[in-house]
Amino acid sequence: SQRSYEGRGWGAFGQSKLENILFTEELQRRADAAGLNWLTVASLHPGVVETDIWRSVPLVGKSSLLTSSLFYNQMLTTEEGANTQIYLATETEQP
């Protein structure tokens, strides 16, 4: 089922991001312990991307015309936000 962050705010969102990072670190630790030297895992922050997550943020959501116009004009497009993930998934050299 789809989980909603509504009512729990950014704390729940931030918790889920932390869990992704911790999972990634544990996955790499286990891969290293298993001798899977060819496997590199990564977690990342793609930047501030123009997605629907911003619609419920006070003073940023679409209902606040001035603030949202200034804010949304500075965001990455979803394509730009995906570039880092694509790079990490396809790069053969370790950083």
Side-chain angles (χ1 to χ4, degrees):
S1 73
Q2 186 176 4
R3 294 181 70 183
S4 172
Y5 292 110
E6 195 156 330
R8 296 189 322 224
W10 286 101
F13 177 79
Q15 181 68 36
S16 72
K17 301 304 120 191
L18 174 60
E19 290 166 3
N20 286 336
I21 293 167
L22 295 174
F23 171 81
T24 301
E25 289 180 351
E26 180 62 16
L27 180 59
Q28 185 67 64
R29 187 191 69 73
R30 290 182 184 200
D32 292 344
L36 302 175
N37 299 329
W38 55 268
L39 179 62
T40 301
V41 298
S43 60
L44 67 114
H45 186 297
V48 181
V49 180
E50 185 177 352
T51 64
D52 282 343
I53 195 166
W54 302 106
R55 73 183 176 278
S56 61
V57 176
L59 300 177
V60 176
K62 296 285 187 179
S63 62
S64 175
L65 184 60
L66 175 62
T67 309
S68 66
S69 295
L70 295 172
F71 190 74
Y72 277 96
N73 288 337
Q74 301 302 313
M75 289 184 182
L76 299 174
T77 65
T78 51
E79 182 178 304
E80 291 168 329
N83 285 340
T84 304
Q85 290 91 316
I86 292 168
Y87 173 80
L88 288 173
T90 59
E91 179 57 41
T92 57
E93 295 292 320
Q94 290 186 4

